[in-house]
């Protein structure tokens, strides 16, 4: 972590990360959909790693080993994702426990597909299909949030490395193409009669991530480096 973070001032990455850990889980209590807040957090993390990736040119001229630098970046992504993912996932799980309709507005929440009991405005109990949670679905929600943040960190890193080269167009195209493929996947797999309906977005996210990470691997292998 130290090697990747060395160009940043400690107040920048510590203060910014602390703000991220507070704002993203708690922001959805004030306004906006939970999914939008998770996406915002992932985008902020990607921007941070893009800036870090852009710093590689200077580190390269100083003779820094690319493998050591990449290992440091990967460790930074791992630690940051491990810290922030449980916080955002816990916020999503809590919101779902307060309202069974929350899952319709957060594609990063996993349910177990079982009906969830609820009380209507007249005080009468009824069931909402597919909205229940259990320990396994909560664990999958944490894992999904971790995967999103970890993936976005690497996408941001690749964008930073690609800046100033023709590979930036590869990354821009991959992001748009991956988003399109993910949207098509969601549209093709969505079934209004399926209680797991919101969870089709998990598959869509995975499709988009795999496509984009393939482009990232090209950037990582073709990045200019004096010392491997």
């Amino acid at each position: 972590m130290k090697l990747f973070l060395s160009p940043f001032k400690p107040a920048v990455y510590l203060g910014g990360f602390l703000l991220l850990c507070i704002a993203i889980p708690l922001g959805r209590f004030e306004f906006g959909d939970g999914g939008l807040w998770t996406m915002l957090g992932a985008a902020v993390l990607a921007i941070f790693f893009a800036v870090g990736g852009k710093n590689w040119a200077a580190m390269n001229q100083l003779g820094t080993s690319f493998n050591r630098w990449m290992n440091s970046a990967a460790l930074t992504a791992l630690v940051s994702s491990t810290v922030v993912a449980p916080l955002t996932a816990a916020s999503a799980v809590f919101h779902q426990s307060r309202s069974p309709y929350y899952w319709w507005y957060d594609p990063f929440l996993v349910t177990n597909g079982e009906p969830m009991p609820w009380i209507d405005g007249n005080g009468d109990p009824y069931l909402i299909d597919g909205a229940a949670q259990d320990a396994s679905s909560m664990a999958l929600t944490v894992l999904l949030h971790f995967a999103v943040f970890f993936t976005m960190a690497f996408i941001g890193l690749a964008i930073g490395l690609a800046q100033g080269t023709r590979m930036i167009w590869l990354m821009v195209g991959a992001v748009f193409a991956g988003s399109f493929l993910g949207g098509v996947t969601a549209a093709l797999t969505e079934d209004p009669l399926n209680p797991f309906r919101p969870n089709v977005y998990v598959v869509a996210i995975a499709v988009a991530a795999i496509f984009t990470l393939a482009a990232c691997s090209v950037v990582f292998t073709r990045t200019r480096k004096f010392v491997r």
Side-chain angles (χ1 to χ4, degrees):
M1 289 177 60
K2 184 177 180 180
L3 182 60
F4 177 75
L5 294 174
S6 58
F8 297 95
K9 294 182 179 179
V12 172
Y13 61 80
L14 289 177
F17 187 67
L18 179 61
L19 181 62
L20 182 71
C21 290
I22 294 174
I24 302 307
L26 300 183
R28 68 192 72 195
F29 282 89
E30 298 298 327
F31 63 90
D33 295 342
L36 292 177
W37 279 98
T38 302
M39 291 171 63
L40 174 63
V44 170
L45 197 63
I47 291 172
F48 174 79
F49 275 84
V51 174
K54 191 176 180 180
N55 288 333
W56 163 247
M59 303 292 287
N60 188 23
Q61 292 178 1
L62 294 174
T64 301
S65 166
F66 183 73
N67 289 337
R68 287 185 59 240
W69 183 84
M70 278 294 297
N71 289 337
S72 180
L75 181 59
T76 305
L78 177 64
V79 171
S80 57
S81 301
T82 301
V83 173
V84 73
L87 298 177
T88 59
S91 181
V93 167
F94 177 75
H95 275 74
Q96 178 63 17
S97 68
R98 292 180 61 191
S99 172
Y101 297 103
Y102 171 80
W103 71 323
W104 292 99
Y105 307 100
D106 191 343
F108 305 102
L109 177 76
V110 180
T111 60
N112 62 11
E114 297 297 324
M116 178 177 177
W118 198 242
I119 305 296
D120 64 18
N122 297 321
D124 297 323
Y126 67 104
L127 296 175
I128 300 178
D129 289 338
Q133 301 181 98
D134 57 20
S136 61
S137 67
M138 293 178 189
L140 287 173
T141 298
V142 175
L143 181 61
L144 177 60
H145 281 238
F146 171 83
V148 168
F149 286 113
F150 192 67
T151 299
M152 288 301 294
F154 271 91
I155 291 174
L157 185 66
I159 290 174
L161 288 171
Q163 284 192 32
T165 71
R166 289 180 294 180
M167 290 189 294
I168 189 64
W169 297 110
L170 170 66
M171 287 306 304
V172 171
V175 169
F176 280 103
S179 301
F180 175 76
L181 288 176
V184 170
T185 302
L188 293 177
T189 56
E190 188 173 20
D191 181 2
L193 300 179
N194 185 354
F196 283 96
R197 182 183 178 188
N199 292 344
V200 301
Y201 295 108
V202 175
V203 178
I205 292 168
V207 170
I210 291 172
F211 187 88
T212 310
L213 286 176
C216 291
S217 65
V218 175
V219 173
F220 295 151
T221 55
R222 298 189 62 182
T223 295
R224 182 180 182 184
K225 50 188 81 76
F226 290 129
V227 181
R228 293 185 178 274

